[in-house]
Amino acid sequence: MYDILIVGAGPAGLTAAIYAARNNKKVGIFEGNVPGGQIVVTATVENYPGFGKVDGPDLAYSMFEQVMNLGVELIGSYVSEIIKTENGFIVKTEDEEFQAKVVIIATGTSQKRLEVPGESDFENRGISWCAICDGSLYKDKVVAVVGGGNSAMEETIYLSNLASKVYLIHRRQQFRAEPHIVEKVKKLENVELVLDSVVEEFIGDQSLGKMRIRNVKTGQERIIEVSGCFEYVGQIPATDFVKELGITDEAGYIQVDNNFETKIENLYACGDVIVKNVRQIVTATNDGAIAALNAIKKLS
Ligand code: NAP
């Protein structure tokens, strides 16, 4: 039996693991993908204290290495179900079952899709959700980025250094992203802002070749020629595996109290997966620390 099982090895889960392991608890952490969460697919992080500017994968690896050096067990699987028992929890993966006194959920979010015609045809054949993974395929080519949040801005900057031209398509005039990063994007010579506009269709043959875009104010349509399109239109919480527990809100985010405990005793949640306003690396690490310290207090 583990003292604490953590589901998800992004900044929240990794921080929870650091605090739990340093308190001599038997800790396991599940990760079905690459450890590090969203920062692994973030080109550059510029707002994590102590690191003026750091590559996302480097920051993720430092956090992960710190956790492994503390003797935390990495379980390389996705969790499919969590069951409450009399003494704790059973955590199920596709092939195995694990038992723990406390479970901390830190599964974060995954990228939302536009869900327009042609999207499924050109998924990974022109359409991508990860500029840092796929950007190099579009060296000196024309690409589009869709979205107006921090992710869209950061990845537009990254892609503008590789592609010959980047269309930044956003459905309104104002950007949700922080003003200073919007200013940086506006200064880039090879970025064309396509505002008040939505994607109507992805078009191509073997791979993506064109996008049909509609101006929502004028109704006018336009076809742009692109080799790639990167969608950054927000996030959806990764909580399918806890649907039955009744701990999420109507959007699927997990509801927790001030101690980061859900309404099920000894089941905690932290990071981007919970109901909250600010989703940043620092707020994820904050949540992870508090969840773990409260869990430790309960255990002792
Ligand atoms: P986000 O902030 O939710 O922005 C999503 C963007 O996509 C919005 O501009 C939204 O438009 C647009 N959008 C949503 N659905 C759309 C649709 N169907 N068609 C067209 N456009 C659509 O998402 P994010 O950029 O992924 O960021 C997620 C969270 O992580 C945020 O809290 C963000 O601050 C944080 N983050 C922080 C950093 C950083 O600080 N370095 C970096 C990345 C992410 P509207 O604005 O019109 O709704």
Side-chain angles (χ1 to χ4, degrees):
M1 163 98 75
Y2 291 85
D3 292 315
I4 303 181
L5 277 174
I6 299 165
V7 188
L14 291 171
T15 307
I18 290 169
Y19 279 79
R22 285 171 54 82
N23 274 274
N24 296 327
K25 300 297 173 217
K26 182 171 159 51
V27 186
I29 187 163
F30 292 90
E31 179 53 68
N33 205 327
V34 183
Q38 295 277 341
I39 40 175
V40 174
V41 292
T42 302
T44 313
V45 176
E46 294 186 20
N47 54 6
Y48 194 68
F51 296 81
K53 192 171 178 181
V54 58
D55 289 349
D58 289 349
L59 182 58
Y61 187 73
S62 320
M63 290 184 185
F64 176 64
E65 195 178 34
Q66 188 176 354
V67 168
M68 290 299 102
N69 288 341
L70 288 166
V72 172
E73 187 184 335
L74 175 70
I75 307 162
S77 310
Y78 287 106
V79 169
S80 53
E81 196 180 358
I82 296 175
I83 299 165
K84 172 89 179 126
T85 62
E86 213 170 300
N87 309 319
F89 298 90
I90 294 173
V91 179
K92 286 188 171 182
T93 65
E94 206 185 331
D95 325 301
E96 281 178 283
E97 284 188 8
F98 301 81
Q99 291 195 34
K101 295 175 191 161
V102 165
V103 173
I104 300 177
I105 301 169
T107 42
T109 56
S110 60
Q111 301 273 21
K112 207 169 102 180
R113 289 160 169 263
L114 283 172
E115 302 201 354
V116 297
E119 187 182 49
S120 51
D121 299 336
F122 301 111
E123 178 176 340
N124 301 322
R125 290 195 295 131
I127 306 176
S128 167
W129 288 262
C130 178
I132 195 169
C133 322
D134 300 330
S136 60
L137 300 172
Y138 303 98
K139 195 165 163 25
D140 300 325
K141 294 185 176 162
V142 179
V143 298
V145 171
V146 188
N150 279 325
S151 301
M153 298 303 131
E154 285 184 351
E155 305 315 318
T156 294
I157 294 171
Y158 176 73
L159 288 164
S160 72
N161 289 314
L162 289 167
S164 58
K165 173 170 181 156
V166 184
Y167 290 102
L168 175 58
I169 303 164
H170 178 41
R171 63 184 177 184
R172 28 185 203 123
Q173 285 283 329
Q174 292 74 32
F175 290 97
R176 195 177 283 263
E178 291 163 22
H180 88 99
I181 193 163
V182 175
E183 287 316 309
K184 268 194 192 172
V185 168
K186 284 183 174 168
K187 285 189 188 131
L188 296 170
E189 283 181 359
N190 62 343
V191 174
E192 178 179 333
L193 300 186
V194 185
L195 303 181
D196 291 329
S197 297
V198 292
V199 179
E200 289 287 319
E201 188 182 4
F202 290 104
I203 304 162
D205 191 3
Q206 293 303 309
S207 60
L208 180 68
K210 294 174 185 168
M211 290 165 65
R212 185 159 59 84
I213 293 160
R214 181 173 53 85
N215 184 302
V216 291
K217 290 213 168 126
T218 63
Q220 215 166 26
E221 291 199 340
R222 168 182 178 191
I223 301 274
I224 56 168
E225 298 205 0
V226 292
S227 302
C229 175
F230 293 83
E231 295 185 9
Y232 286 104
V233 291
Q235 313 284 325
I236 40 175
T239 50
D240 273 1
F241 67 104
V242 290
K243 262 200 311 241
E244 308 302 324
L245 296 176
I247 56 171
T248 53
D249 70 1
E250 61 289 349
Y253 288 95
I254 299 178
Q255 293 167 310
V256 292
D257 63 17
N258 288 341
N259 295 325
F260 292 87
E261 193 170 18
T262 68
K263 68 181 184 191
I264 298 175
E265 198 179 7
N266 294 332
L267 181 62
Y268 292 79
C270 54
D272 285 2
V273 77
I274 64 166
V275 176
K276 62 173 176 173
N277 290 323
V278 180
R279 293 192 168 83
Q280 296 283 306
I281 306 170
V282 279
T283 59
T285 55
N286 162 81
D287 298 357
I290 299 173
L293 288 172
N294 284 316
I296 291 157
K297 213 191 284 175
K298 273 268 190 81
L299 283 170
S300 52

